[in-house]
Amino acid sequence: MDHDIQSTFGVHGTVLSWITSFITNRTQTVNFAGQQSTLATVLCGVPLGSVLGPVLFLLYTADVPVIAQRHGFLAHSYADDTQLYFHDKVSLSDIRLLRLKECIGEIEIWMSSNRLRLNTDKTQFLCLRTRQQMTKFQHHTIDLKTASLPVATQITCLGVVFDCELTFSKHDTSVVRRCLYHFEADPCSQEVTDH
């Protein structure tokens, strides 16, 4: 990773030494039911729960948006979650979905060669469209190399529920439900009345 950070991002000198020190010579053990495993050397990855962990992971996976762009897609990443997205006419969906399959296939190969794994169980596909366009989009599943994804009617991204029409009604309902739960669970809450 040192070489990638140095050549791709221009990090060198003291900062590179700090990062190298942070991710090398680490060990870990597992404690379970009062038993402790033997000490093992950590050969890859970043410490979970650390401040630098998400940033270093994004630097490590910086090739993923490049691969997406090469196939005509945009990518947005937050820690280990990445979304690919595109805008096109519904009439071109067959061509775009073929490119998406190729793009995800190349990302999967890249991940495998870099000690990562694409989690197809958490991979979702959402088509944002108007009600008139819904009848034109005929795909119910997106077939990848290793999985077949159902076309979702809603997904949750970083706590926000997106539906295919972007009405946010399901997100609003979810927020109200959580607020009411906390309001009703709080013994100190009182009814406020005007005097």
Side-chain angles (χ1 to χ4, degrees):
M1 185 173 180
D2 291 354
H3 177 69
D4 291 339
I5 289 177
Q6 207 170 2
S7 61
T8 306
F9 300 103
V11 176
H12 57 277
T14 306
V15 175
L16 183 61
S17 298
W18 288 341
I19 293 172
T20 303
S21 170
F22 181 69
I23 61 175
T24 55
N25 300 321
R26 287 193 165 271
T27 56
Q28 67 182 14
T29 61
V30 176
N31 291 312
F32 180 73
Q35 300 291 316
Q36 185 171 351
S37 69
T38 56
L39 202 65
T41 303
V42 179
L43 300 174
C44 60
V46 293
L48 294 176
S50 65
V51 174
L52 275 180
V55 174
L56 293 176
F57 185 80
L58 287 175
L59 295 177
Y60 185 69
T61 59
D63 287 337
V64 172
V66 174
I67 294 169
Q69 194 172 26
R70 193 165 51 238
H71 288 271
F73 298 97
L74 296 171
H76 173 76
S77 296
Y78 180 80
D80 63 345
D81 289 327
T82 300
Q83 294 87 37
L84 301 180
Y85 54 98
F86 65 94
H87 177 270
D88 219 330
K89 295 177 182 176
V90 178
S91 59
L92 299 174
S93 60
D94 288 342
I95 296 167
R96 275 298 201 159
L97 294 178
L98 184 61
R99 286 185 189 159
L100 180 65
K101 181 178 179 178
E102 292 168 357
C103 179
I104 292 175
E106 188 177 339
I107 289 172
E108 199 166 13
I109 290 167
W110 180 91
M111 292 179 88
S112 177
S113 66
N114 285 278
R115 299 181 182 183
L116 298 171
R117 185 177 66 88
L118 178 69
N119 191 342
T120 53
D121 292 340
K122 291 185 177 180
T123 303
Q124 298 175 299
F125 180 86
L126 178 69
C127 180
L128 303 174
R129 57 203 185 266
T130 64
R131 283 192 188 181
Q132 291 80 16
Q133 292 171 328
M134 279 187 194
T135 55
K136 297 176 188 174
F137 189 79
Q138 299 298 320
H139 301 276
H140 301 291
T141 59
I142 307 300
D143 294 318
L144 303 176
K145 261 187 189 176
T146 56
S148 185
L149 306 176
V151 175
T153 55
Q154 71 179 46
I155 61 168
T156 303
C157 179
L158 299 176
V160 179
V161 180
F162 291 89
D163 61 87
C164 57
E165 292 183 65
L166 286 181
T167 64
F168 291 97
S169 60
K170 300 207 174 177
H171 179 72
D172 294 343
T173 302
S174 172
V175 170
V176 168
R177 187 181 302 120
R178 282 187 302 226
C179 289
L180 288 174
Y181 170 80
H182 289 293
F183 183 73
E184 291 169 358
D186 183 1
C188 297
S189 64
Q190 299 175 3
E191 185 177 336
V192 178
T193 55
D194 292 332
H195 293 287

